[in-house]
Amino acid sequence: MEMEPAMSYVKSLKSRESGQEYPIEPRTVCDIDFSPVEVAYDYKAMQGNVTRQSIEAGPLSLWRYKDLLPIEGEPKAGLHSGWTPLVKADKLAAELGVKELYIKDDSANYPSFSYKDRVVSVAITKAIEFGFDTVGCASTGNLAHSVAAHAAAAGLHTFVMVPHDLEAGKMVGMSVFGPKVVRIAGNYDDVNRLCSQIADKYNWAIVNVNLRPFYTEGAKTHGFEIAEQLGWKLPQHTVLPVAGGTILPKVNKAYKEFIRLGLVDDNSPVIHGAQAQGCNPITTAIEEGEEIFRPQKPKTIAKSIAIGNPADGYYVIKDILNSGGWAASATDPEIIDAIKLLARTQGIFTEPAGGTTLACAIKLIQSGKIPKDESICVCITGNGLKTLEVMENQFQAAPVIKAKIKEFDEVIVQGNNAAATA
Ligand SMILES: Cc1ncc(COP(=O)(O)O)c(C=O)c1O
C-alpha cells in the first residue's frame, strides 16, 4: 500500500520587505531587495486542522508543532529536543515583588543544553531533505555545540566556525562529537562574514546562513511551548535575550500564529529584549529612539550573546516597539548576581546569557516597564555548566575536614575554620 505523503502547510519563501516569493530552497536573502526571506505558510488550510488537540496528540518534543515548522516529511533530527520545563518561579517572584513569574528553562534542552537545539533540529532535518552531506555554522559556542551533536547523530560531515576565545566547556562540548572545529582570530561578526563566503564557495549547509529561513523557524517552538505549558495562554510580558536576533522575533511570531489559529486569546503580549552592557546595539538603539542600530565591538562575559552586528537586529527593534516592549542591558557584575539569584531561588544554573536576561528583567520591573502585577516569563536559554569559568572566584573554597564527627562538629557546625584539616 502506498503511504500518503505527509502534508505540509509551507507555501514559499517570502521577502520580508517586498513580499517577493521564492521556492523552498537554500537561500538567505531576496535577490531584489536583499532583505531576509522568511517561510510563509497556508494558515487558512491550518484552520480546524491544527488544533490544541492535534498538538497535544504529538510527541513530547518540539516536533509536536511540526505543522507550524518548515519540513516536508518526518523529522530527521532532534527527536528529543524541546519540551523543556516552564517553571512557576514563586520564590524568585517573592524576592522581586512580582505576582506571577515563570522561567522557560532551555538550560535543560537536549542534547546540548541550550535553546539552539530547537533551531538546529529543524535546520539539520532540512539539510537532509535538501540532500546536503556537509553542514556547518557560524557560532558563539552554543550553536556549534548543538550542530556538532545533531550532525554526529545524523552521520553528516561537520565544520563549526567559532571565535578563538570561547569557554572551555563549550569547546570540549562541541569537540567531543568529532566535527572539524575552526577557530577564527576575531569576533563573531568576523566568523559570520567568513561563513557567508564558505556557504557561497562550497556546497555546504551553513545552518544560520543559507538555511537561515528554516533554522530560525525552529525558535518559534520556545514560544509555542510557553503558551501551551501556561494552559494555552500567553504571558503578558516575555523577556528574551538578543544576540543575532533570532529567538526574539520568532517567539513573537509564535505568539501571533497561535492567536491567528485561535489557539490562545490575544492579550496583546509584550516582548522585551535583554543584552549585556558590553554588547548592546539593540538596547542602545531603543533607548535612543532609533530604528536602526549601530554595530558594536563586543566586550562582555556573556560571550554567547556577544554579537555586535545582529543579522536580524532591525526586526528585533521593530517587534519590541510594536508590542509596546522595551530593552535593557546588564553589566558583567549584574549578570553574575542574576546567575546566583536564579540558582539560589529556583535551583536553576544558567550561563551568562541567562544571567543577562534575568538581570534585564529585574531592571525592567524596577523601572516600571514591566508592571509587578502582570504575568512575566523570563526565557533562560543556556546552561551554566558550560561556562564555569565565569563563576570561578565567586565562592570560597569549601574547608577540607577529616572523616571524623568531631571535626564536622567544630568546623562545619560551629564554624571554627582554624580546626580544618590543612
Ligand atoms: C544561550 C544563548 N541565548 C540566547 C542567544 C540568542 O541568540 P539569537 O538572538 O541569535 O537568537 C544565543 C545565541 O547564540 C545563545 O547562545
Side-chain angles (χ1 to χ4, degrees):
M1 197 178 79
E2 226 170 81
M3 289 264 287
E4 277 213 9
M7 176 157 146
S8 158
Y9 295 99
V10 174
K11 279 206 307 203
S12 61
L13 291 178
K14 212 171 183 177
S15 155
R16 292 206 58 164
E17 295 305 318
S18 63
Q20 172 73 31
E21 288 192 80
Y22 295 91
I24 296 300
E25 62 189 10
R27 161 176 294 279
T28 319
V29 295
C30 169
D31 291 339
I32 298 163
D33 60 30
F34 302 111
S35 75
V37 289
E38 198 175 33
V39 177
Y41 299 88
D42 185 351
Y43 294 109
K44 266 212 185 100
M46 285 186 200
Q47 292 286 352
N49 290 315
V50 181
T51 61
R52 290 181 182 180
Q53 291 72 21
S54 73
I55 291 169
E56 284 165 355
L60 287 177
S61 74
L62 59 85
W63 293 113
R64 66 204 277 107
Y65 310 105
K66 176 164 145 309
D67 287 338
L68 288 144
L69 294 171
I71 70 164
E72 291 304 318
E74 290 303 312
K76 297 182 176 61
L79 299 187
H80 305 283
S81 298
W83 201 247
T84 58
L86 181 78
V87 177
K88 185 149 193 297
D90 289 341
K91 279 185 72 201
L92 180 57
E95 200 130 337
L96 302 183
V98 298
K99 204 169 125 202
E100 195 181 349
L101 179 66
Y102 301 90
I103 299 289
K104 178 60 177 167
D105 187 10
D106 268 8
S107 75
N109 214 347
Y110 180 90
S112 75
F113 311 105
S114 87
Y115 110 79
K116 298 289 177 173
D117 288 325
R118 301 178 181 280
V119 283
V120 173
S121 299
V122 176
I124 297 291
T125 295
K126 213 63 206 168
I128 295 169
E129 279 183 11
F130 284 135
F132 287 103
D133 65 2
T134 304
V135 296
C137 63
S139 171
T140 53
N142 283 314
L143 177 57
H145 184 179
S146 185
V147 166
H150 287 274
L156 298 166
H157 302 293
T158 314
F159 288 75
V160 293
M161 275 61 81
V162 294
H164 63 102
D165 59 349
L166 293 187
E167 301 92 340
K170 298 230 170 109
M171 293 310 299
V172 174
M174 68 185 80
S175 301
V176 72
F177 301 107
K180 188 86 184 157
V181 178
V182 184
R183 291 198 302 154
I184 314 277
N187 61 33
Y188 173 82
D189 296 305
D190 300 310
V191 177
N192 194 36
R193 216 172 315 114
L194 174 67
C195 278
S196 297
Q197 291 174 294
I198 293 171
D200 283 345
K201 178 158 184 182
Y202 296 90
N203 189 28
W204 296 346
I206 306 294
V207 299
N208 52 340
V209 179
N210 51 349
L211 294 192
R212 191 169 181 83
F214 313 102
Y215 156 96
T216 55
E217 286 287 290
K220 290 190 307 191
T221 62
H222 188 90
F224 293 146
E225 288 178 18
I226 292 171
E228 184 181 349
Q229 291 169 325
L230 216 48
W232 298 103
K233 244 173 40 185
L234 301 179
Q236 197 56 54
H237 297 268
T238 305
V239 188
L240 287 146
V242 179
T246 293
I247 191 168
L248 188 146
K250 291 297 173 170
V251 166
N252 191 41
K253 184 177 179 189
Y255 289 175
K256 291 221 159 85
E257 286 182 338
F258 267 16
I259 291 169
R260 183 171 187 164
L261 292 169
L263 302 180
V264 295
D265 287 340
D266 185 358
N267 64 343
S268 305
V270 184
I271 309 284
H272 304 272
Q275 294 203 296
Q277 186 87 44
C279 184
N280 64 352
I282 301 302
T283 303
T284 304
I286 287 179
E287 286 175 344
E288 292 177 355
E290 301 287 345
E291 271 179 30
I292 308 285
F293 66 86
R294 283 190 310 277
Q296 295 182 356
K297 274 215 175 331
K299 193 172 182 332
T300 168
I301 56 165
K303 293 186 184 187
S304 66
I305 50 170
I307 297 185
N309 190 9
D312 290 316
Y314 173 72
Y315 298 102
V316 172
I317 296 172
K318 249 177 131 168
D319 282 0
I320 289 175
L321 295 179
N322 286 343
S323 77
W326 201 246
S329 2
T331 63
D332 287 353
E334 288 166 342
I335 293 169
I336 301 271
D337 284 349
I339 291 174
K340 289 183 182 168
L341 176 65
L342 184 63
R344 178 167 62 73
T345 54
Q346 295 300 149
I348 296 169
F349 183 19
T350 187
E351 66 147 272
T356 303
T357 309
L358 178 55
C360 289
I362 294 171
K363 288 186 167 181
L364 292 164
I365 292 163
Q366 285 169 348
S367 67
K369 296 279 184 200
I370 299 182
K372 291 186 170 177
D373 58 350
E374 296 184 1
S375 60
I376 309 164
C377 181
V378 175
C379 299
I380 295 299
T381 48
N383 192 302
L385 288 171
K386 296 208 267 179
T387 55
L388 289 178
E389 46 277 79
V390 300
M391 300 311 283
E392 268 169 18
N393 309 322
Q394 291 297 319
F395 313 99
Q396 279 191 337
V400 177
I401 62 168
K402 289 201 188 78
K404 303 265 188 237
I405 192 68
K406 184 165 168 290
E407 256 191 55
F408 182 81
D409 291 344
E410 280 180 23
V411 179
I412 306 299
V413 180
Q414 291 156 30
N416 176 9
N417 260 328
T421 299

